[in-house]
Amino acid sequence: MALAVGLPAVGAGIDELSGPGMGTAFLVGAVLGTGLAAALSSRNGWWWVLASTPLLVLGVTAGAELLANGDAYQGKNLATGSAKWVVHDFPVMAAAAAAAALVIVVRLVRDRRRDHG
């Protein structure tokens, strides 16, 4: 599971080192990490994977941005930056949640085929 959380963090680090803000590496890391988490989770854990995806994406973004540009987020700029992160991260959150949902559906279909086949 650490790898599932680590992939978005690695993607964020790559994006911060290559330029300002989150980009493609973060998106890919978040999608792969969330898909991996859904693949490794039990049925009871699927809810937690889906529910925690937005929080993980936002938390990794906030951590990466604050580590890379902490001086830019002082005072009121932190609130402005936080709002920007939520808006810019929404497509990443949606893609990661969709990846988890796809993995869950595939696992359900595969399990039903195995039970009936």
Side-chain angles (χ1 to χ4, degrees), residues 1 4 7 20 53-54 76 79 83 86-88 92 95 100 103:
M1 278 306 214
L7 286 172
T53 297
K76 292 180 182 179
V86 170
V87 171
H88 288 215
V92 177
V103 169

Side-chain angles (χ1 to χ4, degrees), residues 8-9 12 22 26 30 34 51-66 78-94 96:
M22 300 295 106
F26 179 56
T34 306
S52 65
T53 297
L55 298 174
L56 175 71
V57 169
L58 189 56
V60 169
T61 297
E65 286 290 327
L66 289 172
L78 180 59
T80 303
S82 298
K84 180 182 78 170
W85 301 333
V86 170
V87 171
H88 288 215
D89 279 352
F90 184 77
V92 177
M93 293 175 196

Side-chain angles (χ1 to χ4, degrees), residues 1-11 25-41 49-50 52-53 56-57 60 92 95-97 99-100 103:
M1 278 306 214
L3 180 61
V5 174
L7 286 172
V10 168
F26 179 56
L27 171 67
V28 170
V31 167
L32 291 176
T34 306
L36 179 63
L40 295 174
S41 294
V49 172
L50 289 172
S52 65
T53 297
L56 175 71
V57 169
V60 169
V92 177
V103 169

Side-chain angles (χ1 to χ4, degrees), residues 3 13 15 17 22 25 28-29 37 46-47 50 57 67 70 73 75 77 79 84-85 89 91-92 105 110-111 113-114:
L3 180 61
D15 282 341
L17 291 173
M22 300 295 106
V28 170
W46 290 343
W47 161 253
L50 289 172
V57 169
L67 282 173
Y73 297 109
N77 290 338
K84 180 182 78 170
W85 301 333
D89 279 352
V92 177
V105 168
R110 190 181 67 203
D111 288 349
R113 285 186 180 167
R114 187 179 328 136

